[in-house]
Amino acid sequence: MSSTRLGHTLNRITNATMASTSSSSKRRHPPRHDFSSNNNNNNNRQSQPRPPKRRPGAPQHHLNLDISWLAHQPPIEGLDPSIVVQPRRLHFTLGVMTLNSSPNDRGHDHDLASATTLLDNLVPSIRTMLANNPLRVPLDCSRLKVMQPDPTRAHVLYLEPDSRSSDGLRLRAVCDLVYNAFNQAGLLNDGNRPLKLHCTLLNTRHRRPQQPGQRRSAGRIPFSFSAFPQGTVDNLNLGTWTVDELQICEMGSWTPDGAYVRVAGCDLRPGPAT
């Protein structure tokens, strides 16, 4: 008896839930999930998910802001609305997991239930670490960076939180706790990589053709981060966001309001555990 595997991403999100990708081909591919924190979790729980896109393999993290870069004159090379991530997909990624839908799935030892149990078991330690303080994401002195070494040929633009404040130190400590626990349990796909807290804002992987019927380019078209106006990449004040919940999210799926679909989570709000 076969069952569909689930692929998960360990995420901390302030305005998004999970997304999943699955395959209908003869060989089933694992959908991906986010482990996230969300400040709109009540709406996400009530929303009915839209079926995910059939793109097995690659995790997808999207983040969108109202930005003026697209209207800049002269135009910034490589920028296009299609590469800007959607607002309700805002999240900080902690890691990626590939999980079975049941413990009996062949060829894989980990399932969603075991990941959920581990998350539940971490709640007392997280609450002790928070000491009845809310978990916040400080973006009041954040900066933008690109993943690529050449800023004139960038493909991913991301936002980095300020880790120097008390909120930032607390955020990092909680994320490290969760990341290390899931890594030690063998649940993370890329556990050999150090945790890099980031929110993706632009991703050229999502670029769409500009004209109807036009084919996608064979290669990804970069954008020039060097052409961004001065004063729009450093010391950005985007406020401080309170995290209500840490979530495991299906990657690639959509709720009606555009968020990721939540499959599990733990309440991080101050007060008695619920």
Side-chain angles (χ1 to χ4, degrees), residues 11 24 26 37 42 55 68 80 85 91 95 107 113 116 118 141 162 195 206 212 223 226 235 243 252 263 268:
N11 276 17
S24 58
K26 293 181 180 179
S37 59
N42 291 333
R55 284 187 58 193
S68 61
D80 181 83
V85 194
H91 67 275
T116 303
L118 176 56
C141 189
D162 181 12
L195 174 60
H206 311 307
F223 61 88
S226 298
N235 297 320
V243 175
V263 294
L268 298 180

Side-chain angles (χ1 to χ4, degrees), residues 154-225:
H155 290 283
V156 175
L157 176 74
Y158 66 92
L159 179 68
E160 197 174 58
D162 181 12
S163 60
R164 298 167 296 181
S165 65
S166 58
D167 284 333
L169 292 172
R170 192 177 296 117
L171 172 68
R172 183 72 200 199
V174 170
C175 290
D176 282 340
L177 172 70
V178 176
Y179 176 86
N180 290 333
F182 274 75
N183 191 26
Q184 291 171 8
L187 288 164
L188 298 185
N189 290 4
D190 298 317
N192 59 328
R193 298 182 180 180
L195 174 60
K196 183 181 183 66
L197 282 179
H198 69 282
C199 281
T200 300
L201 299 176
L202 304 176
N203 193 336
T204 61
R205 186 183 301 276
H206 311 307
R207 189 185 298 277
R208 294 191 298 270
Q210 295 183 353
Q211 301 296 331
Q214 181 182 1
R215 290 188 175 186
R216 290 177 182 266
S217 173
R220 294 172 65 176
I221 301 174
F223 61 88
S224 177
F225 183 57

Side-chain angles (χ1 to χ4, degrees), residues 28-89:
R28 295 186 175 183
H29 298 272
R32 301 278 182 148
H33 293 63
D34 290 332
F35 191 13
S36 334
S37 59
N38 197 317
N39 63 348
N40 290 306
N41 50 299
N42 291 333
N43 290 336
N44 294 332
R45 290 172 181 170
Q46 297 171 1
S47 301
Q48 295 299 317
R50 191 174 78 190
K53 297 179 180 180
R54 305 303 183 185
R55 284 187 58 193
Q60 301 174 22
H61 302 294
H62 306 282
L63 170 63
N64 217 13
L65 298 173
D66 286 331
I67 51 179
S68 61
W69 305 320
L70 295 172
H72 186 266
Q73 294 296 329
I76 297 175
E77 181 181 0
L79 281 195
D80 181 83
S82 64
I83 70 173
V84 182
V85 194
Q86 298 301 311
R88 288 286 288 122
R89 320 284 282 178

